[in-house]
Amino acid sequence: MKDNFLAKWLNDELESSELQELQKTPEFESYNKIISTLDKLEAPAFDEKAAFASFKSNYLATPQIKEEKETKVIKMNVWKPILRIAAVVVLAVGFYTYFNTLDTSVATDLAQMSEITLPDNSEVIVNAGSEISFNKNSWNENREVNLKGEAFFKVAKGQKFDVVTTDGIVSVLGTQFNVNNREGLFQVTCYEGLVSVAHKGQVTKLPAGTAFTVLNGEVVSKESPTTQVPSWTINESSFKSMPLGIVIAELERQHNVVIETQNLDLNKNFTGNFSNNDVNLALKSISIPLNLIFDIQDKKVILYAENNK
Amino acid sequence: MSEVVIPNVCEEAVFGNIYMTNSKAIYRYIYYKCGDEDKANDVAQESFLKLWENCKKVASDKAKAFLYRVANNLFLNDVKSKKIALKYAKQSENVDNESPEYVLEEKEYKDKLERALARLTEAERTAFLMNRIDGKKYKEIAEMLDISVKAVEKRIHKALQKLRETIDGI
């Protein structure tokens, strides 16, 4: 017969021929009686609920046990208040970290300028209609400033960070520089120290007094800046051979006006300054050298060539 | 997403659940070894205390194996064993309307069986009764005792063989 055939028999694993063979043995009746008797028997009763109750009162509810046995028995009902406190702490920490990891963002309105200080004490002056954001919390790992528009950076001595714009990344080390990223224009001007500009995979080093300009996707060479700081930081917008379209867009931003042009070649270059304080003066600064006429109608300005009207 | 959350044994509800589902089996496991109800009770309670103390280290899906291992270790410290006293399940007491002679005969047979059980080795008796009284499958017993199914079968086969030999007076 099979190994352990009695165990197989008890488990109904015998084939019928094997079962018949077993049933024919003289011992079978005895086996059967043992099993059928055991079927009617049971072990001493055990009441789980009562046992658990006594378990709790013996081991879990009395703090003395903990001291005597030096085991880490913790009272079960201690958990509830602890969990409550824990939940509050988790929420508080969660909120704190959530708000702390959010980027700090500064956006300027039209005709507005804003000055901020970065976590490393570098100063940033944000020109009108621009947005700058950075993360205070991860500043040490991730020294990045995102810029849309124009801003002037005075980097604290020995500090390094990147200015990220849609058109390129400007990396700096202890310098003063201006980044202008507007529609059709990406211009970085270095006033002090050295900056490197990564634009479309090309890295350009800009020493003090030089500028890197991309006009409508093309890198153009521009004259060096003559001032110590960008003119806009002292409330004047200054242009050197800049397409009129870009100049007008800046005037709109600085004075919060809408300028409508008629019969104007917006690609014509303009060199000059306009005031960021006085809209009339600013319009004159543009119209007179270019022989244009302007009409102010509330927030709308119409600009057109003199000989066309 | 692939991470399966295993309930923490340190939580009262989880621990209570483990207690309710396993305490009787642990109690019986020890009882079948030694036939001592008090001892079985003590070992069962102590095993759960050990689980509670180690709740941080024991994953809830390993708690059962942990309990049997601890119960077994705790039991080894004590050897003196008594005769297993089994009693009739309530059902059969009430349902059957038997003659006094038959009842006496049956009582004598039960005593004989209990004495025969006492003569089995502890391992044979435990596996055999876990199967016959508790209705545990061979596979479950193998897991609890941390032995192979084949070893369980061998113990059960031997147990029944020896019981018959003792009872039939061979």
Side-chain angles (χ1 to χ4, degrees), chain A residues 164-200:
Chain A
V164 181
T165 71
T166 49
D167 280 334
I169 297 172
V170 185
S171 302
V172 296
L173 181 66
T175 64
Q176 293 190 13
F177 65 102
N178 187 69
V179 179
N180 190 2
N181 188 207
R182 306 286 193 187
E183 190 68 40
L185 172 72
F186 175 53
Q187 185 171 46
V188 182
T189 313
C190 181
Y191 292 89
E192 193 185 298
L194 182 75
V195 298
S196 91
V197 184
H199 172 76
K200 291 188 174 153

Side-chain angles (χ1 to χ4, degrees), chain A residues 2-300:
Chain A
K2 255 188 207 170
D3 272 356
N4 307 327
F5 62 89
L6 291 174
K8 305 272 190 211
W9 167 56
L10 291 175
N11 213 23
D12 281 333
E13 285 175 50
L14 289 184
E15 281 165 33
S16 57
S17 61
E18 295 169 319
L19 181 61
Q20 280 170 5
E21 199 186 331
L22 175 63
Q23 282 166 340
K24 274 184 229 151
T25 60
E27 300 91 10
F28 182 74
E29 208 190 321
S30 292
Y31 291 141
N32 217 3
K33 189 164 187 192
I34 291 167
I35 297 307
S36 61
T37 305
L38 279 169
D39 280 349
K40 288 185 263 176
L41 297 174
E42 61 180 20
F46 182 83
D47 184 344
E48 292 101 332
K49 273 187 192 162
F52 190 44
S54 100
F55 179 83
K56 278 209 253 187
S57 67
N58 282 343
Y59 300 118
L60 306 181
T62 44
Q64 293 97 301
I65 298 248
K66 184 178 161 189
E67 286 146 32
E68 279 168 23
K69 291 189 139 190
E70 277 189 312
T71 51
K72 281 186 182 171
V73 177
I74 298 152
K75 257 169 85 181
M76 278 182 161
N77 50 15
V78 159
W79 285 106
K80 271 188 187 164
I82 288 178
L83 282 174
R84 275 190 204 130
I85 294 163
V88 172
V89 169
V90 166
L91 274 178
V93 170
F95 275 114
Y96 179 79
T97 28
Y98 175 68
F99 286 114
N100 248 282
T101 49
L102 282 184
D103 284 355
T104 307
S105 180
V106 175
T108 51
D109 280 338
L110 298 174
Q112 196 196 42
M113 214 199 280
S114 182
E115 206 171 331
I116 57 165
T117 307
L118 294 177
D120 64 1
N121 285 325
S122 298
E123 279 173 51
V124 184
I125 306 170
V126 187
N127 203 353
S130 304
E131 192 181 330
I132 193 166
S133 70
F134 56 92
N135 196 306
K136 255 186 206 169
N137 226 33
S138 63
W139 180 258
N140 284 331
E141 302 89 59
N142 186 21
R143 291 164 161 257
E144 257 180 31
V145 178
N146 293 292
L147 172 72
K148 283 179 199 156
E150 182 168 19
F152 176 58
F153 296 83
K154 285 189 209 172
V155 183
K157 284 267 181 304
Q159 297 300 327
K160 195 185 175 204
F161 62 83
D162 292 342
V163 179
V164 181
T165 71
T166 49
D167 280 334
I169 297 172
V170 185
S171 302
V172 296
L173 181 66
T175 64
Q176 293 190 13
F177 65 102
N178 187 69
V179 179
N180 190 2
N181 188 207
R182 306 286 193 187
E183 190 68 40
L185 172 72
F186 175 53
Q187 185 171 46
V188 182
T189 313
C190 181
Y191 292 89
E192 193 185 298
L194 182 75
V195 298
S196 91
V197 184
H199 172 76
K200 291 188 174 153
Q202 285 273 334
V203 177
T204 311
K205 300 262 187 226
L206 283 188
T210 57
F212 176 81
T213 310
V214 182
L215 259 177
N216 297 316
E218 267 180 65
V219 180
V220 292
S221 62
K222 288 274 164 204
E223 290 120 79
S224 313
T226 48
T227 49
Q228 286 302 299
V229 289
S231 58
W232 62 266
T233 61
I234 46 169
N235 290 317
E236 204 171 68
S237 293
S238 164
F239 302 90
K240 277 203 173 93
S241 317
M242 217 27 111
L244 191 56
I246 285 172
V247 177
I248 289 172
E250 187 62 32
L251 200 148
E252 287 180 304
R253 268 192 295 274
Q254 291 297 342
H255 295 285
N256 193 14
V257 291
V258 177
I259 296 177
E260 202 178 282
T261 58
Q262 286 171 359
N263 305 319
L264 280 191
D265 177 9
L266 295 177
N267 288 320
K268 195 173 179 183
N269 279 348
F270 172 83
T271 299
N273 306 330
F274 65 74
S275 163
N276 290 351
N277 294 330
D278 187 333
V279 67
N280 256 304
L281 206 62
L283 284 165
K284 276 181 191 157
S285 308
I286 297 176
S287 59
I288 291 167
L290 295 175
N291 279 330
L292 304 175
I293 292 175
F294 66 89
D295 265 349
I296 302 183
Q297 302 168 342
D298 197 17
K299 284 248 162 181
K300 199 171 149 193

Side-chain angles (χ1 to χ4, degrees), chain B residues 1 25 29 63 76 82 100 106 121 148 154 160 166:
Chain B
M1 257 187 267
Y29 168 54
L76 286 181
K82 291 180 181 175
E106 200 156 65
T121 68
S148 67
K154 193 172 180 185
L160 184 53
T166 311

Side-chain angles (χ1 to χ4, degrees), chain B residues 33-47:
Chain B
K33 278 171 178 273
C34 66
D36 188 330
E37 287 185 51
D38 292 340
K39 179 79 197 156
N41 241 318
D42 289 351
V43 170
Q45 299 291 55
E46 277 181 63
S47 306

